[in-house]
């Protein structure tokens, strides 16, 4: 638990990620310094020893991700944090975590890209990469942080989903969320729900490491607790051993996909503002959602029936919230600090006449309420 | 104490699940696996406390066959996963089994930093001077002038000396053997596993199929016999000139030193932080 639970604090987004993670039971961090995510590593290095946890700075992000997976396999909740270039390096081992179903959380504090890009400017250019960055079909959950309090609560939620579904969870923050300081009321320990992975209860001889339960999620043994088993990034059978048998390969892929599909109603998260009677709406996430809220409030003052759907879950794409909104509104605006990475998802689920309008900034500047308002009144 | 091979097989192999193995007849990997099992057996380690991690390649398949907590990671990254496991649960005995390309090309950075960091880990590197599984491309330990499928005109680069690299990078214990010197390998592995700190055992091994064949080094028996003929002990090597050592394999313990171990140092920091908190 975090010592700050239930108190009022002036915190930076990056610091709140650390406290949220500790509150959810995270006891291991491995990473590599990178702007604008470094404060996460720094604060973990200070706080983890006192709560019997471990911090280690590795030689690169590849190693950071490897160590996180190792720690999780040994039974400890673990995370890493990085920005675009480091997130690129993590993709291979991230795929391993998807394949071997190792719970872990990866915070990507987005900067402008591609390549070294704009290290100290905000962007949302890694959205599709967070979903599809590692090769091959794979399940993954991607959540967006929009504020300091989100950085606490959604980080804690990320650990819970990761543990429950045995899947890596990507947290997408951005430079604005990460470095903004806000006074926040942190939830008390009683208010924070902590989910732990289900461990096997059968005798070791009966343990089938990759046989899903009713939800499609296998109980997970830790290395060292008597359930000796094999973990591999090769496609494996229920025993965990490599297989070339096509029916086993297909069963493997389907179970991984279905465990997320089954949990979809719980995994898709959003917030709705003024949507009951909305004729036009903004669909936004991350720091842009906060600008959008102000724009929508201003529009309402001027008699426009506008609303906001703030996406917290980006993948699996929360079509359960987006599709009904598209049926309800004549137009939606999707402002993003990229060339349109979520607007293409909105297009994908659109089965109506609703007009989808993009508003994009890729100049390293934050999207202000004023510019969203200007677009909104044109819808 | 000598334990019959039959008993070792019975005790440690996943014989009902994962055989036949993928290795070619005569491959040195099996000799290294046997030696590891003898070392683990003679140290009386419980199977539940042993974690064996590997990377990708022929060597990477070894943990699949063994009844420990086993982990087949990504190419070159075995030591990074092993680092996380050891830090999360320091009571486990954690080993990483790697090949030469695995440990010193794609995983070279992890290897030198693991040595510098000095965690309580054992790294076993099977050095056969080639990428065998992918069909015989040159590796960081392919000798100058040697032929491979990517150096058909003769190799124009120079080889790493893995053990010397580990010594320089700061490993607590470094030793080299060949697959011919199985008794020596048993003892070196025992020492490495029980050593406080990062321990490296490099084993020179034969890939007669992908390396020996293209360089006219003969079959498995001929290659392994050449290790017998060309090996010199560390003590003998110390009295030899550089020219005399050309083409020789120095075997034995190259470094054995006592240094602060980072896992233990971190435990001390934890204790301090917790006392301060009270």
């Amino acid at each position: 638990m975090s010592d700050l639970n239930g108190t009022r604090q002036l915190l930076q987004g990056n610091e709140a990620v650390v406290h949220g993670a500790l509150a959810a039971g995270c006891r291991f961090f491995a990473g590599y310094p990178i702007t604008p995510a470094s404060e996460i590593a720094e604060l973990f290095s200070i706080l983890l020893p006192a709560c019997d946890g471990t911090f280690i700075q590795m030689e690169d992000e590849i190693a950071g991700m490897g160590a996180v997976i190792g720690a999780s396999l040994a039974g400890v909740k673990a995370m890493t944090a990085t920005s675009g270039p480091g997130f690129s390096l993590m993709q291979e081992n991230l795929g391993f975590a998807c394949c071997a179903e190792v719970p872990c959380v990866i915070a990507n504090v987005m900067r402008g890209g591609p390549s070294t890009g704009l290290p100290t400017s905000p962007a949302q250019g890694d959205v599709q990469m967070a979903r599809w960055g590692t090769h091959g079909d794979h399940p993954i959950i991607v959540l967006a942080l929009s504020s300091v309090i989100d950085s606490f609560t959604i980080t804690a939620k990320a650990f819970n989903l990761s543990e429950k579904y045995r899947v890596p969870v990507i947290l997408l923050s951005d430079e604005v969320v990460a470095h903004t300081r806000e006074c926040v009321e942190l939830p008390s320990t009683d208010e924070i729900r902590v989910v732990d992975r289900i461990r096997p209860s059968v005798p070791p001889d009966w343990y089938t490491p990759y046989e899903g339960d009713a939800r499609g999620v296998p109980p997970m043994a830790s290395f060292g607790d008597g359930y000796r088993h094999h973990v591999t990034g090769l496609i494996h059978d229920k025993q965990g051993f490599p297989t070339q048998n096509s029916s086993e390969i297909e069963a493997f892929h389907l179970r991984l996909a279905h465990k997320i599909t089954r949990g979809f109603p719980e995994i898709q998260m959003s917030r709705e503002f003024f949507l009951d009677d909305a004729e036009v709406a903004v669909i936004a996430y991350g720091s842009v959602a906060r600008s959008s809220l102000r724009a929508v409030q201003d529009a309402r003052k001027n008699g426009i029936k506008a609303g906001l759907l703030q996406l917290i879950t980006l993948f699996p794409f929360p079509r359960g919230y987006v599709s009904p909104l598209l049926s309800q509104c004549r137009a939606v605006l999707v402002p993003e600090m990229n060339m349109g990475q979520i607007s293409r998802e909105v297009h994908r689920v659109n089965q109506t006449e609703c007009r989808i309008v993009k508003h994009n900034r890729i100049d390293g500047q934050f999207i202000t309420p004023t510019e969203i308002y200007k677009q909104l009144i044109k819808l | 104490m000598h334990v019959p091979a039959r008993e070792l097989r019975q005790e440690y192999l996943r014989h009902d699940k994962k055989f036949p193995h993928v290795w070619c007849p005569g491959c040195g990997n099996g000799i290294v696996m046997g030696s590891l099992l003898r070392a683990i057996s003679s140290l009386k380690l419980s199977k539940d406390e042993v974690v064996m991690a590997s990377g990708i390649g022929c060597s990477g398949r070894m943990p699949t066959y063994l009844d420990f907590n086993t982990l087949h990671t990504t190419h070159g990254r075995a030591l990074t996963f092993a680092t996380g496991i050891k830090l999360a649960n320091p009571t486990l005995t954690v080993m990483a089994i790697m090949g030469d390309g695995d440990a010193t090309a794609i995983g070279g950075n992890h290897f030198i930093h693991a040595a510098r960091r000095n965690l309580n880990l054992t790294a076993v590197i099977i050095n056969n001077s080639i990428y065998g599984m992918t069909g015989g491309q040159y590796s960081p330990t392919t000798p100058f002038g040697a032929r491979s499928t990517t150096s058909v005109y003769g190799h124009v680069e120079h080889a790493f000396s893995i053990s010397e690299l580990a010594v320089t990078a700061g490993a607590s214990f470094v030793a080299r053997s060949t697959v011919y010197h199985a008794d020596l390998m048993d003892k070196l592995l025992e020492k490495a596993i029980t050593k406080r700190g990062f321990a490296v055992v490099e084993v020179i091994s034969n890939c007669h199929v992908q390396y020996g064949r293209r360089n006219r080094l003969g079959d498995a028996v001929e290659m392994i016999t050449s290790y017998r003929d060309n090996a010199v002990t560390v003590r003998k090597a110390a009295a030899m000139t550089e020219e005399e050592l050309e083409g020789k394999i120095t075997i034995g313990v190259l470094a054995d030193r006592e240094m602060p171990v980072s896992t233990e140092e971190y435990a001390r920091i934890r204790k301090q932080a917790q006392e301060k908190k009270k």
Side-chain angles (χ1 to χ4, degrees):
Chain A
M1 54 150 262
S2 169
D3 289 342
L4 303 185
N5 292 358
T7 65
R8 196 170 164 78
Q9 295 289 331
L10 177 66
L11 290 178
Q12 191 194 49
N14 276 345
E15 293 168 351
V17 166
V18 177
H19 292 295
L22 292 174
C26 174
R27 291 295 177 270
F28 187 93
F29 180 93
Y32 186 81
I34 189 166
T35 304
S38 297
E39 294 87 355
I40 297 177
E42 288 170 352
L43 189 57
F44 265 123
S45 79
I46 295 166
L47 297 181
L48 275 170
C51 48
D52 229 15
T54 308
F55 166 86
I56 187 163
Q57 184 173 309
M58 297 297 284
E59 54 274 16
D60 56 29
E61 288 88 347
I62 301 170
M65 191 65 217
V68 161
I69 296 170
S72 186
L73 287 169
V76 176
K77 291 187 191 178
M79 82 172 284
T80 184
T82 187
S83 186
F87 193 50
S88 291
L89 287 177
M90 287 176 184
Q91 295 304 321
E92 186 197 21
N93 281 344
L94 180 59
F96 183 96
C98 295
C99 181
E101 300 176 76
V102 185
C104 54
V105 173
I106 300 96
N108 174 6
V109 184
M110 292 182 286
R111 54 158 78 181
S115 189
T116 313
L118 297 161
T120 58
S121 300
Q124 296 177 316
D126 305 348
V127 169
Q128 290 289 340
M129 184 204 190
R131 175 63 191 90
W132 295 114
T134 193
H135 60 276
D137 278 299
H138 60 276
I140 204 157
I141 295 173
V142 182
L143 309 178
L145 308 179
S146 70
S147 64
V148 172
I149 191 68
D150 264 11
S151 297
F152 183 97
T153 56
I154 305 297
T155 300
K157 183 87 187 172
F159 274 95
N160 290 348
L161 290 174
S162 183
E163 293 283 314
K164 186 167 177 182
Y165 294 98
R166 288 191 62 177
V167 67
V169 177
I170 312 295
L171 288 170
L172 290 180
S173 182
D174 65 56
E175 196 275 335
V176 171
V177 175
H179 288 157
T180 301
R181 287 184 185 277
E182 292 182 276
C183 200
V184 289
E185 205 86 49
L186 296 178
S188 67
T189 306
D190 301 340
E191 292 171 296
I192 301 164
R193 197 169 147 255
V194 176
V195 177
D196 295 321
R197 65 192 70 169
I198 292 176
R199 294 174 191 268
S201 51
V202 296
D205 283 349
W206 298 2
Y207 181 48
T208 313
Y210 286 95
E211 182 160 52
D213 62 8
R215 301 170 302 130
V217 185
M220 184 172 173
S222 304
F223 281 165
D225 64 8
Y227 292 85
R228 295 189 303 278
H229 65 290
H230 186 61
V231 178
T232 176
L234 287 166
I235 305 300
H236 40 272
D237 58 19
K238 287 179 181 175
Q239 294 292 341
F241 294 112
T243 179
Q244 298 274 5
N245 178 322
S246 54
S247 63
E248 286 176 343
I249 295 168
E250 189 180 38
F252 161 88
H253 276 293
L254 293 179
R255 183 175 61 72
L256 259 58
H258 288 166
K259 70 178 180 180
I260 301 299
T261 315
R262 284 200 193 98
F264 182 66
E266 173 196 46
I267 296 168
Q268 65 164 355
M269 295 181 286
S270 72
R271 290 194 191 109
E272 302 184 356
F273 301 91
F274 311 108
L275 284 185
D276 286 347
D277 61 343
E279 292 166 3
V280 293
V282 181
I283 298 176
Y285 56 96
S287 57
V288 180
R290 302 185 76 183
S291 290
S292 302
L293 179 58
R294 176 58 195 268
V296 164
Q297 286 165 339
D298 289 348
R300 282 270 163 183
K301 274 183 207 150
N302 291 314
I304 299 166
K305 287 192 172 169
L308 166 66
L309 178 66
Q310 179 191 346
L311 306 182
I312 292 170
T313 307
L314 300 186
F315 295 103
F317 188 68
R319 58 166 73 220
Y321 296 112
V322 175
S323 297
L325 186 65
L326 295 171
S327 305
Q328 175 188 333
C329 294
R330 68 166 187 272
V332 296
L333 176 71
V334 189
E336 299 178 81
M337 290 187 282
N338 58 42
M339 301 277 274
Q341 298 195 15
I342 279 293
S343 66
R344 72 163 60 207
E345 296 296 319
V346 179
H347 274 290
R348 189 169 62 81
V349 302
N350 189 14
Q351 309 263 329
T352 70
E353 296 293 303
C354 181
R355 202 155 52 85
I356 296 157
V357 180
K358 298 199 293 179
H359 177 71
N360 307 107
R361 277 199 91 146
I362 47 156
D363 58 353
Q365 297 299 309
F366 183 61
I367 301 181
T368 63
T370 317
E371 39 183 307
I372 296 172
Y373 178 78
K374 281 182 188 158
Q375 296 290 329
L376 201 48
I377 57 176
K378 283 194 264 176
L379 291 179
Chain B
M1 195 188 75
H2 182 72
V3 179
R6 187 171 41 79
E7 282 178 31
L8 287 176
R9 285 201 296 271
Q10 195 62 34
E11 175 66 13
Y12 293 109
L13 298 193
R14 286 170 168 155
H15 44 85
D16 52 336
K17 289 171 189 156
K18 273 298 130 193
F19 285 86
H21 58 67
V22 300
W23 300 325
C24 306
C27 178
N29 285 357
I31 302 174
V32 181
M33 186 164 92
S35 186
L36 259 169
L37 294 184
R38 286 191 293 277
I40 288 168
S41 162
S42 105
L43 293 171
K44 298 189 167 50
L45 298 176
S46 133
K47 291 192 283 186
D48 285 338
E49 73 180 85
V50 174
V51 177
M52 197 172 278
S54 68
I56 298 293
C58 299
S59 65
R61 293 303 182 102
M62 189 188 292
T64 318
Y65 311 128
L66 300 177
D67 189 17
F68 303 116
N69 303 283
T70 57
L71 175 62
H72 180 209
T73 75
T74 45
H75 196 18
R77 322 299 179 203
L79 282 169
T80 71
F81 286 62
T83 298
I85 295 166
K86 185 67 185 180
L87 288 169
N89 186 351
T91 64
L92 296 172
T93 301
V94 185
M95 304 169 202
I97 315 298
M98 296 170 285
D100 43 298
D102 200 32
T104 63
I106 191 164
N109 198 30
H110 308 310
F111 178 57
I112 55 174
H113 284 279
R116 173 189 63 80
R117 193 170 281 131
N118 203 29
L119 243 69
N120 213 345
L121 293 174
T122 305
V124 180
I125 302 171
I126 305 174
N127 178 2
N128 61 8
S129 305
I130 203 81
Y131 287 92
M133 187 170 265
T134 48
Q137 298 80 13
Y138 65 78
S139 86
T141 56
T142 302
F144 183 81
R147 290 176 202 283
S148 71
T149 56
T150 46
S151 64
V152 289
Y153 308 113
H155 195 31
V156 296
E157 301 170 15
H158 300 279
F160 260 145
S161 173
I162 296 178
S163 290
E164 280 74 8
L165 181 67
V167 172
T168 309
S172 281
F173 179 86
V174 182
R176 189 191 280 120
S177 178
T178 80
V179 288
Y180 175 82
H181 301 86
D183 282 346
L184 171 71
M185 183 168 24
D186 292 1
K187 291 189 189 79
L188 295 177
L189 286 169
E190 276 182 44
K191 275 188 185 168
I193 293 167
T194 48
K195 177 71 189 179
R196 275 180 64 251
F198 191 71
V200 179
V201 178
E202 177 191 5
V203 184
I204 305 296
S205 181
N206 58 298
C207 182
H208 48 285
V209 175
Q210 302 289 11
Y211 180 65
R213 190 160 52 94
R214 290 194 177 85
N215 291 283
R216 300 180 190 279
L217 298 173
D219 61 12
V221 174
E222 287 169 272
M223 284 188 79
I224 293 172
T225 312
S226 79
Y227 301 149
R228 178 195 65 193
D229 299 339
N230 288 310
V232 289
T233 60
V234 171
R235 184 183 292 184
K236 201 172 163 194
M240 290 166 73
T241 66
E242 216 165 290
E243 288 79 47
E244 288 170 329
L245 281 170
E246 188 66 40
K248 299 289 179 197
I249 305 164
T250 309
I251 57 170
V253 177
L254 283 90
D256 188 358
R257 44 200 174 189
E258 294 303 318
M259 291 188 292
V261 177
S262 62
T263 6
E264 295 166 11
E265 293 300 303
Y266 198 81
R268 187 174 55 75
I269 284 171
R270 255 191 207 151
K271 211 173 159 197
Q272 277 173 4
Q274 284 159 19
E275 272 161 16
K276 204 171 154 192
K277 205 172 160 187
K278 283 173 197 161

